[in-house]
Amino acid sequence: MDIADLRDRILKQDRRALARAITLVESARADHRAHAGELLESLRGNGKQALRIGLSGTPGVGKSTFIESFGMMLTAKGLKVAVLAVDPSSARSGGSILGDKTRMERLSRDPNAFIRPSPSQSHLGGVARRTREAVALCEAFGFDVVLIETVGVGQSETVVAEMSDLFLLLLAPAGGDELQGVKRGIMEMADIILVNKADGELKSTAMRTCADYAGALRLLRKRPQDPEGFPKAMTVSALQEDGLEKSWDEMTALTEWRRESGHWDMRRSAQADYWFHEEVRQGVLALLENGDVKAAIDQLGARVSAGEVTPSAAADRVLGMLDLKTG
């Protein structure tokens, strides 16, 4: 594989080269990982810093409709938009539908937009493990905005927050009950809460829901990365394309404040450190899949099940095999 040629084509905004590069970074093959690392290193410092926007919400809240309407609005302003949509993978077959392009038909035909669905595979959190690297490729390509759509709510918010500059939470009117278990954690991470489907008969309900969340946000402890008035709740209608301009103005204002106050650079640095540690953790876990180590784990697992050895003692033996146990 000619990495230098692939790099040059990406910098020249060759969309096929970008698609091929994302396929490369998503691969788990050892030789592909080596090529991906070489490509990413060669692209470091090129391109621009895109505005990374993470988006999550419960299934059926209208994430795809919102992304299409929002993306079309941004491209109409002359901005180049990339959408990285993560689809859930089947625990049984490992397959994914990857139907985001069919749900965003208008945006998929827009020359200033790029949509890439990816399988979540077995990665917790609804964000593909290599989504972060795909974001870096999109920045090198020259996109102005990168939208990262997660599978749903829960663990995914923690992951997407570590690769985005703004985190949006999309909610449906009067849809509070299914969020009770995770609402506090999600709201503490959200920069802007958007109550979608604020149209027709649901408009008044959406307004009440928005007011409820606005009140709840005021009870949260103020974060250092927020100016006065943030985080905030707003209503939008992706179907009628109402409220999109106002929400973009708020995103822009928040981004500019964070740049001027230094929080943007601090956050990007902290994210780089987070992903360094995450790569180390993932590398250690990969060592456990080594043939000899895996066989030993299986044998020790059988002995633990039979009560012949304690789980702690068995774990110490495995760590000793990896030479990671220091004391």
Side-chain angles (χ1 to χ4, degrees):
M1 182 176 293
D2 191 340
I3 297 300
D5 176 64
L6 187 59
R7 169 188 176 276
D8 292 341
R9 287 168 56 198
I10 289 173
L11 294 177
K12 291 177 182 177
Q13 300 189 346
D14 184 330
R15 295 167 72 92
R16 289 188 177 183
L18 175 61
R20 185 184 179 193
I22 293 177
T23 300
L24 179 66
V25 300
E26 288 178 347
S27 174
R29 276 178 43 176
D31 57 333
H32 287 177
R33 291 305 309 150
H35 287 313
E38 182 183 347
L39 175 63
L40 290 165
E41 187 63 27
S42 68
L43 287 170
R44 184 167 54 86
N46 289 286
K48 64 175 71 175
Q49 275 196 339
L51 175 59
R52 307 170 182 173
I53 301 176
L55 176 70
S56 191
T58 52
V61 75
K63 292 192 294 293
S64 295
T65 306
F66 172 80
I67 289 174
E68 180 169 54
S69 298
F70 187 64
M72 293 295 292
M73 180 200 69
L74 294 180
T75 58
K77 295 177 179 293
L79 298 173
K80 292 179 179 174
V81 179
V83 179
L84 302 177
V86 183
D87 268 12
S89 296
S90 168
R92 180 177 299 177
S93 66
S96 298
I97 297 175
L98 301 180
D100 294 272
K101 281 194 174 183
T102 62
R103 292 196 297 267
M104 306 178 197
E105 188 177 352
R106 287 187 303 145
L107 189 61
S108 65
R109 295 198 301 264
D110 193 311
N112 284 329
F114 175 83
I115 302 174
R116 173 70 182 217
S118 299
S120 64
Q121 299 171 345
S122 60
H123 189 67
L124 292 174
V127 180
R129 180 183 170 192
R130 298 302 171 187
T131 301
R132 175 187 58 86
E133 295 177 345
V135 171
L137 291 172
C138 290
E139 287 191 320
F141 187 90
F143 284 104
D144 300 294
V145 178
V146 179
L147 286 163
I148 309 161
E149 179 195 358
T150 67
V151 170
V153 295
Q155 180 69 20
S156 57
E157 280 62 52
T158 303
V159 182
V160 76
E162 293 297 342
M163 64 175 73
S164 57
D165 303 308
L166 297 178
F167 174 54
L168 309 181
L169 177 61
L170 206 62
L171 299 178
D177 287 346
E178 72 271 20
L179 278 171
Q180 290 297 335
V182 290
K183 187 184 297 181
R184 177 63 184 261
I186 293 173
M187 289 177 62
E188 286 177 336
M189 283 179 281
D191 294 306
I192 299 176
I193 292 177
L194 299 175
V195 181
N196 193 24
K197 303 183 179 181
D199 48 58
E201 296 179 355
L202 288 175
K203 186 165 185 177
S204 59
T205 306
M207 298 294 288
R208 289 196 300 271
T209 303
C210 181
D212 289 343
Y213 278 102
L217 288 172
R218 286 193 289 269
L219 299 176
L220 297 180
R221 182 180 302 171
K222 184 171 175 58
R223 305 178 305 184
Q225 69 267 33
D226 293 330
E228 192 63 36
F230 284 91
K232 63 175 55 182
M234 305 174 63
T235 58
V236 294
S237 170
L239 191 63
Q240 296 184 352
E241 301 182 0
D242 184 36
L244 301 180
E245 286 277 0
K246 186 178 179 181
S247 63
W248 174 243
D249 290 341
E250 296 292 352
M251 294 178 213
T252 304
L254 179 57
T255 301
E256 290 177 353
W257 184 88
R258 286 180 174 175
R259 285 184 183 274
E260 292 171 359
S261 63
H263 286 290
W264 174 285
D265 292 331
M266 286 191 294
R267 183 62 181 153
R268 285 280 178 118
S269 297
Q271 288 176 347
D273 182 66
Y274 170 89
W275 286 107
F276 160 67
H277 286 89
E278 183 63 22
E279 287 295 326
V280 173
R281 281 191 290 269
Q282 294 293 338
V284 172
L285 290 175
L287 293 176
L288 300 178
E289 296 300 318
N290 177 279
D292 294 338
V293 176
K294 191 174 187 308
I297 290 175
D298 292 341
Q299 291 175 2
L300 284 166
R303 294 184 61 192
V304 169
S305 299
E308 298 175 3
V309 61
T310 65
S312 298
D316 284 343
R317 293 186 191 181
V318 173
L319 293 176
M321 292 178 62
L322 296 177
D323 198 29
L324 296 175
K325 190 79 170 177
T326 57

